[in-house]
Amino acid sequence: MNPIHLRAGGTSVVVAVDGGRLPRVLHWGPDLGDLGPDALADLQRAALPAVGDSAVTYPQPVPVLPQLHEGWLGRPGLVGDTDGRRWAPYFRDAAHTVDGSLLRSTARDPEFGLTIEVEIELLPGSGLVRQRARVVNEAAEPYRIGSVELALPVPSDATEILDLTGRWALERVPQRRPFQVGEWVRASRGGKPGLEHTLLLAAGEHGFGFRQGLVWATHLAWSGNQVLAAELTPAGTRHLAAGEVLLPGEVVLGEGESFQSRWQYGSWGAGLDEMAGRFHRHLRSRPRSPRPVVLNTWEAVYFRHDLDTLVALAERGAELGAERFVLDDGWFLGRRDDTSSLGDWTVDPGVWPQGLGPLADRVRELGMDFGLWFEPEMVNLDSELARRHPEWIFQAGHGPGVPSRHQHVLNLGHPDAYTYVFERMSELVGELDIAYIKWDHNRYLLDAGERPGVRRQVEQAYRLMAELKAAHPGLEIESCASGGGRIDLGVLEHTDRVWPSDCNDPHERLEIQRWTGLLVPPEMQGTHIGATESHTTHRVHPLDYLAEKALWGHLGLEVNLLTADAETLAALARWVAFHKEHRSLLHSGRVVHADLADPAYRLEGVVAQDKSEALYAFSVVERPAVWPPGRVRLPGLDDTLTYRVEAVYPGSVPGGVLPPWQSAGVTLPGRVLRLAGVEAPSLDVDRSVLLRVVST
């Protein structure tokens, strides 16, 4: 049987389906064009390695689900057993069907009574490939699943690995290493991907950047325990693998029961911008209204809630152009700090004697919609809920375990606990006409049940989000987990934006947003203007730099507007107005980054899909060894169009030495701007200039 050729979105995936074997990917990457049957057959022959006396020690096309029985000594595709038996399955006699851009393959191990179904899908709009597997136990004896990991091959040109690490308030820190023989494994076991976990795992040509070098990446669409791995075998086979990390006994299949793995996504590109752009197009395929400018109360008032103050804050925000008001932590029964009351989702009558209705009504009178903070999956031991229902709190047999941020985890797998949380949240959303939930998640699932319940907990969180949205059409949800601790395509099936970090320091936010952007487009990243002195790093920045770094995403205000002077308020109003003026470009354009030789500089922006306009920011992030910066090239434009380039200043003109062209702008072909560029301004550290580019 000839290989299957899936083509969509500039991507080709060629899959070998011969010999009764499970699919083996022969090519994943640039579109190969229209290939007939003879060409596909020859492509397969051309891709087969020379094999000597043993398939075990020679290269082989990477199976989507590698099997030990076929001579695979790398990371296994399926780990499972029945009391130490049925531990090395052999799936064969595979049958394959193609439905559009979806390939389905089914194979059986008749001796073990197991069936596996594999789906490989190429998404038409984006060119992303995704795959998953379903294991069915047809035998009378239970079958315990240890792991299911699927694999995507990368070519021998992929000699360098990129992944991300981080910590609270410093998420998405890139790290690179050679793609050497062995395994590079990134696992998370805290019940969510986590602040320190990588967003995706990429492998590419040596020195690949945002605009250069072919690169391939994988991501698991799952918000629980998971593993991403890059493996180079001694035989020279390279692949990227992904799957859930399952706890002991977490999945045991009875007769007729099945296990469905999560979607493993794969993206490729000529540079990271193209690779990321495929994820962006996928996420943008869901209809979405313009992202409203947010006024969030957290850094302005923290737990100090009272009606008059918050009404005044809302009124000030509306004057500046805010379109959504979000009341953060501190509104519910007994909540004066973070040590108590989580789980008691009742409005505190001591702080809100008339309830939240008067505030919500005034917010809507001002032309804004109303949002509210929840942390539905967590509980404080000092709460009425914990005292009434200690059996609802996760513990592994030694009590509730070590507190983290004074919190423990509410077991949403307990039917009564789930019902309680859903009913309290749904009642408040309905009563207050809540348009938006800021959904936090601040503790890892260290001790998730006397029987492991991590997988169930994540599934129940998804269910809770979905049922709230079904009950309240139009409701939007933000995934906030101590900042960027739960960002993945699984949770983004149910949410409308993510909070990349609790850090609003623009020096850090530039990098956090840049690397979060490998997966998430700007309009789905919350980007807020915080205080002049950052609450997390205590760096001091001018308002213009704070605002410029928040401009690009889902803009919000988190500065205390009630203590700001008139000059600051006027400047904020100008930045909000500028954001709204360019919001359609910022939230639909292609994200681009220049590959600059000097690490002291950044140039990035968005280019309209038709390349008729663009907006860039040139920033200085550290003191350079060479001064002035020299010319920077503007990526992403159309070589054949002519553009007017001007520096624009929604705030004040930054200090430094500006090149002569900035006084009146220049008009140049896109090819010249791409290859020759324009002289960059000489700025102080943590200063930037916006460049507006429009075709003439």
Side-chain angles (χ1 to χ4, degrees):
M1 184 175 182
N2 281 340
I4 304 297
H5 186 193
L6 306 177
R7 295 178 66 201
T11 298
S12 278
V13 178
V14 181
V15 187
V17 290
D18 60 315
R21 298 179 63 184
L22 288 171
R24 290 152 290 146
V25 176
L26 303 177
H27 170 85
W28 160 45
D31 185 16
L32 298 179
D34 187 14
L35 300 177
D38 291 343
L40 285 170
D42 282 349
L43 185 154
Q44 179 168 358
R45 288 204 309 275
L48 292 177
V51 177
D53 63 346
S54 173
V56 176
T57 56
Y58 281 81
Q60 54 178 293
V62 177
V64 166
L65 187 99
Q67 299 184 78
L68 187 65
H69 188 90
E70 293 184 330
W72 182 261
L73 293 178
R75 295 183 66 84
L78 171 62
V79 175
D81 73 295
T82 299
D83 294 329
R85 296 175 293 105
R86 296 204 291 170
W87 66 273
Y90 176 31
F91 295 107
R92 54 199 186 275
D93 299 326
H96 312 278
T97 60
V98 179
D99 181 6
S101 60
L102 174 63
L103 168 65
R104 292 189 179 92
S105 302
T106 303
R108 293 190 69 247
D109 181 332
E111 292 83 10
F112 284 7
L114 296 173
T115 294
I116 191 158
E117 302 168 357
V118 174
E119 293 178 298
I120 304 175
E121 184 176 17
L122 187 57
L123 302 180
S126 62
L128 289 176
V129 64
R130 65 180 186 178
Q131 55 188 17
R132 63 182 179 179
R134 180 170 172 262
V135 181
V136 184
N137 179 29
E138 299 166 344
E141 297 175 297
Y143 187 76
R144 179 175 57 194
I145 299 285
S147 66
V148 176
E149 283 186 23
L150 301 185
L152 284 168
V154 294
S156 58
D157 294 341
T159 59
E160 189 173 0
I161 295 171
L162 168 72
D163 64 345
L164 307 169
T165 183
R167 56 183 174 85
W168 178 74
L170 189 64
E171 297 85 351
R172 315 297 172 220
V173 178
Q175 54 186 13
R176 291 179 182 250
R177 68 193 60 251
F179 199 155
Q180 296 174 323
V181 173
E183 302 176 15
W184 176 247
V185 180
R186 295 297 309 277
S188 65
R189 297 182 176 85
K192 59 182 175 181
L195 303 166
E196 65 289 332
H197 189 54
T198 186
L199 198 65
L200 46 74
L201 187 59
E205 296 175 335
H206 178 71
F208 67 86
F210 283 95
R211 309 296 298 177
Q212 62 188 14
L214 289 175
V215 60
W216 295 260
T218 191
H219 169 86
L220 191 69
W222 176 238
S223 305
N225 294 347
Q226 59 180 271
V227 61
L228 302 178
E231 182 173 26
L232 171 57
T233 70
T237 302
R238 301 166 193 260
H239 71 276
L240 304 175
E244 288 183 65
V245 172
L246 298 174
L247 297 175
E250 198 164 19
V251 177
V252 180
L253 304 180
E255 184 176 7
E257 293 181 335
S258 64
F259 168 86
Q260 179 77 68
S261 74
R262 307 300 166 179
W263 283 113
Q264 177 198 16
Y265 281 79
S267 183
W268 75 276
L272 291 168
D273 281 346
E274 185 179 11
M275 183 277 294
R278 299 187 189 281
F279 286 117
H280 294 182
R281 291 199 297 276
H282 173 66
L283 287 167
R284 285 172 167 173
S285 64
R286 183 171 63 184
R288 185 175 287 106
S289 60
R291 301 293 78 211
V293 176
V294 173
L295 171 58
N296 191 79
T297 67
W298 179 242
E299 288 192 359
V301 300
Y302 289 103
F303 294 102
R304 302 183 300 274
H305 287 198
D306 70 79
L307 179 61
D308 291 343
T309 298
L310 289 162
V311 164
L313 187 64
E315 291 171 345
R316 187 65 56 84
E319 293 171 1
L320 300 184
E323 299 160 309
R324 170 172 288 164
F325 182 92
V326 179
L327 182 63
D328 214 296
D329 192 1
W331 55 268
F332 47 97
L333 189 66
R335 186 70 161 178
R336 299 296 177 269
D337 54 36
D338 64 355
T339 65
S340 73
S341 306
L342 274 180
D344 296 340
W345 303 116
T346 301
V347 178
D348 192 328
V351 178
W352 301 96
Q354 302 174 70
L356 293 177
L359 175 63
D361 291 343
R362 180 57 179 147
V363 164
R364 283 186 286 273
E365 287 173 3
L366 293 166
M368 297 182 286
D369 63 34
F370 184 69
L372 194 61
W373 180 94
F374 286 93
E375 194 166 5
E377 299 153 79
M378 301 296 157
V379 61
N380 289 129
L381 294 185
D382 183 8
S383 66
E384 292 303 313
L385 178 65
R387 284 185 280 271
R388 290 197 311 269
H389 294 288
E391 74 279 8
W392 292 0
I393 301 173
F394 264 142
Q395 58 98 9
H398 308 93
V402 178
S404 179
R405 292 184 64 168
H406 312 289
Q407 296 179 199
H408 292 78
V409 182
L410 190 69
N411 180 10
L412 293 182
H414 192 294
D416 294 337
Y418 179 92
T419 299
Y420 163 77
V421 173
F422 173 79
E423 289 180 350
R424 289 302 304 128
M425 293 182 73
S426 185
E427 182 181 351
L428 285 164
V429 171
E431 285 179 1
L432 299 170
D433 192 20
I434 291 170
Y436 176 84
I437 291 175
K438 181 178 178 180
W439 189 302
D440 219 336
H441 186 282
N442 283 303
R443 188 188 189 273
Y444 288 102
L445 277 62
L446 304 175
D447 33 30
E450 294 191 20
R451 295 184 63 87
V454 170
R455 192 171 198 267
R456 175 69 170 160
Q457 182 79 357
V458 177
E459 290 174 334
Q460 289 293 87
Y462 287 169
R463 175 190 168 199
L464 184 58
M465 293 174 183
E467 291 188 351
L468 283 169
K469 284 194 164 191
H472 305 280
L475 176 68
E476 293 190 354
I477 297 174
E478 172 188 27
S479 176
C480 173
S482 302
R486 187 157 65 179
I487 299 177
D488 59 84
L489 294 183
V491 79
L492 282 168
E493 286 290 320
H494 306 283
T495 58
D496 302 273
R497 85 167 196 171
V498 300
W499 182 235
S501 178
D502 283 343
C503 181
N504 284 324
D505 178 338
H507 180 88
E508 306 295 351
R509 265 303 186 122
L510 186 158
E511 299 300 323
I512 292 168
Q513 291 163 198
R514 161 185 267 223
W515 296 105
T516 302
L518 292 184
L519 183 74
V520 184
E523 68 274 16
M524 298 184 76
Q525 296 188 46
T527 55
H528 292 185
I529 303 173
T532 301
E533 181 180 338
S534 168
H535 290 206
T536 53
T537 68
H538 304 290
R539 288 195 188 98
V540 175
H541 289 96
L543 173 61
D544 287 338
Y545 198 64
L546 288 157
E548 184 269 304
K549 291 303 168 232
L551 172 76
W552 303 91
H554 187 172
L555 180 65
L557 304 172
E558 204 148 337
V559 62
N560 189 349
L561 304 178
L562 299 180
T563 59
D565 58 29
E567 182 181 358
T568 298
L569 294 174
L572 286 168
R574 290 194 299 271
W575 277 101
V576 170
F578 184 85
H579 173 84
K580 289 181 176 180
E581 179 185 356
H582 300 286
R583 180 161 49 187
S584 61
L585 168 65
L586 293 168
H587 292 175
S588 67
R590 299 177 182 176
V591 179
V592 296
H593 303 79
D595 290 316
L596 303 181
D598 194 326
Y601 307 120
R602 299 285 185 274
L603 187 134
E604 52 197 0
V606 292
V607 179
Q609 295 294 332
D610 64 2
K611 301 187 178 182
S612 62
E613 61 175 328
L615 188 67
Y616 300 94
F618 174 78
S619 308
V620 178
V621 298
E622 60 185 67
R623 297 189 69 193
V626 177
W627 195 259
R631 281 184 287 181
V632 291
R633 302 180 181 116
L634 305 185
L637 301 174
D638 189 328
D639 279 3
T640 66
L641 295 180
T642 299
Y643 295 92
R644 180 71 179 169
V645 184
E646 296 178 323
V648 292
Y649 307 102
S652 58
V653 178
V657 181
L658 305 182
W661 74 264
Q662 285 194 203
S663 61
V666 292
T667 301
L668 290 167
R671 181 176 177 84
V672 174
L673 294 170
R674 178 174 66 86
L675 296 176
V678 297
E679 183 71 15
S682 299
L683 305 174
D684 292 332
V685 175
D686 287 347
R687 301 295 188 272
S688 61
V689 167
L690 290 174
L691 304 180
R692 179 88 171 99
V693 180
V694 181
S695 63
T696 59

